[in-house]
């Protein structure tokens, strides 16, 4: 089954995870788990579309420093809003991504660009597995999704591809979706954001004619190598994804059982 796209102009990679096949051949329920980028760029026409989803809870994975410099989320209805920041100031790629998306000056990131943003992105995915705030708040996010009062759940970070993407990997794995389907869902981001990436790069070129596009593209895309880095770190540290869920995130059988009971048909 094709995962449903929500057709939000201001959030082109917003999509419903419903329809993917999970444990026991049961499908993820439609309209209950929706991943998006930050919602500050939603248009007026997007709001009625979002209202049809009627999220009970909106989960924001950004740090306050990211939220403060971005347009405020535009919401429909009165969902509960929860902030569970997955952020490490020691990894400048977090603020680099925000700076690129918001059109800010990139001069402060010259060293990051020189070292290689693709390598920095892979390192972030390894940090998702071992970083303290990452483990704590990804685990809290799963517990949030396991509670029926928080459904439908909409969750996002800045671009809706990396932190949002790894949380999606965690949720879908816990729901029993196979790795090939999870990987395909993760990689869909690039096709959905192709025109947006072109607009961002062109705007950056106008501001900075000497722009190194090869340094910018790795933070605007998802890549199989990033996901591989996360999976490899899971195996290195925990042996398996089940071990990561149990020991890395502290998710009990009861939590995983509740997640499946509430989110699988």
């Amino acid at each position: 089954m094709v995962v449903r796209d929500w057709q939000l102009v201001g959030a082109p990679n917003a999509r419903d995870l419903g329809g993917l096949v999970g444990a026991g051949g049961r499908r993820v329920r439609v309209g209950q788990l929706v991943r998006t980028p930050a919602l500050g760029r939603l248009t007026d026409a997007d709001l009625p579309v979002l209202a049809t989803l009627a999220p009970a809870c909106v989960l924001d994975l950004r740090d306050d420093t990211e939220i403060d410099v971005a347009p405020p989320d535009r919401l429909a209805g009165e969902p509960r809003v929860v902030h569970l920041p997955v952020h490490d100031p020691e990894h400048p790629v977090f603020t680099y991504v925000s700076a690129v998306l918001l059109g800010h000056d990139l001069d402060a990131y010259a060293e990051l660009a020189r070292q290689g943003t693709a390598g920095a992105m892979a390192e972030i995915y390894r940090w998702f597995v071992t970083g303290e705030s990452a483990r704590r708040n990804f685990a809290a996010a799963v517990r949030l999704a396991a509670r029926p009062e928080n459904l439908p759940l909409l969750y996002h970070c800045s671009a809706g591809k990396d932190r949002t993407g790894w949380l999606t990997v965690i949720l879908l794995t816990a729901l029993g979706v196979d790795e090939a389907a999870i990987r395909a869902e993760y990689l869909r981001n690039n096709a959905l954001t192709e025109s947006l990436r072109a607009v961002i790069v062109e705007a950056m070129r106008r501001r900075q004619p000497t722009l190194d596009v090869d340094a910018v593209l790795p933070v605007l895309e998802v890549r199989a190598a990033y996901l591989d880095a996360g999976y490899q770190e899971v195996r290195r540290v925990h042996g398996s994804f089940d071990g990561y869920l149990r020991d890395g995130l502290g998710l009990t059988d009861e939590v995983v059982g509740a997640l499946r009971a509430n989110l699988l048909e």
Side-chain angles (χ1 to χ4, degrees):
M1 179 179 290
V2 176
V3 180
R4 178 179 179 180
D5 301 331
W6 275 89
Q7 305 297 322
L8 297 172
V9 173
N13 53 337
R15 54 209 193 262
D16 188 333
L17 300 178
L20 290 168
V21 178
R26 299 161 64 197
R27 293 187 182 274
V28 179
R29 293 171 58 200
V30 172
Q32 299 301 299
L33 282 178
V34 176
R35 54 173 295 179
T36 74
L39 303 176
R41 289 189 171 83
L42 293 187
T43 67
D44 289 345
D46 287 334
L47 294 180
V49 179
L50 184 60
T52 65
L53 170 64
C57 182
V58 172
L59 168 59
D60 190 339
L61 298 169
R62 296 175 297 172
D63 183 70
D64 286 345
T65 58
E66 300 173 272
I67 295 171
D68 289 345
V69 297
D73 275 1
R74 302 191 71 189
L75 301 173
E78 296 182 355
R80 177 189 179 202
V81 177
V82 177
H83 290 101
L84 292 173
V86 175
H87 178 87
D88 184 356
E90 297 302 314
H91 284 290
V93 73
F94 281 117
T95 49
Y96 183 82
V97 171
S98 295
V100 169
L101 293 174
L102 297 169
H104 293 171
D105 187 358
L106 299 181
D107 287 348
Y109 301 96
E111 179 63 18
L112 175 62
R114 187 189 68 77
Q115 291 177 349
T117 47
M121 292 299 295
E123 179 59 30
I124 283 294
Y125 278 69
R126 287 188 282 269
W127 178 83
F128 286 163
V129 178
T130 58
E132 182 181 350
S133 75
R135 290 188 297 108
R136 180 178 64 250
N137 286 336
F138 281 139
V142 176
R143 294 187 187 99
L144 199 73
R147 298 179 65 88
E149 63 267 27
N150 294 319
L151 301 176
L153 174 67
L154 182 154
Y155 59 98
H156 71 78
C157 51
S158 291
K161 64 185 184 68
D162 300 310
R163 287 167 287 186
T164 298
W166 188 250
L167 176 55
T168 301
V169 171
I170 293 169
L171 288 167
L172 293 180
T173 303
L175 288 168
V177 177
D178 71 70
E179 185 177 321
I182 293 172
R183 184 176 292 270
E185 197 289 322
Y186 169 82
L187 292 172
R188 290 188 70 236
N189 181 85
N190 289 344
L192 293 171
T193 58
E194 183 175 4
S195 59
L196 175 62
R197 287 198 307 280
V199 168
I200 291 173
V201 169
E202 182 55 34
M204 293 177 71
R205 277 199 178 112
R206 286 197 298 270
R207 292 193 304 271
Q208 186 180 340
T210 60
L211 175 72
D212 182 358
V213 175
D214 289 338
V216 172
L217 283 179
V219 304
L220 295 177
E221 299 172 343
V222 297
R223 297 184 176 181
Y226 305 163
L227 195 57
D228 290 342
Y231 276 127
Q232 288 163 6
E233 190 72 352
V234 163
R235 289 191 292 270
R236 184 187 73 82
V237 178
H238 298 290
S240 67
F241 217 99
D242 283 345
Y244 168 56
L245 295 176
R246 181 185 64 250
D247 303 325
L249 301 182
L251 298 174
T252 63
D253 290 344
E254 288 75 16
V255 170
V256 173
L259 190 77
R260 293 183 176 187
N262 291 320
L263 287 166
L264 294 178
E265 294 178 344

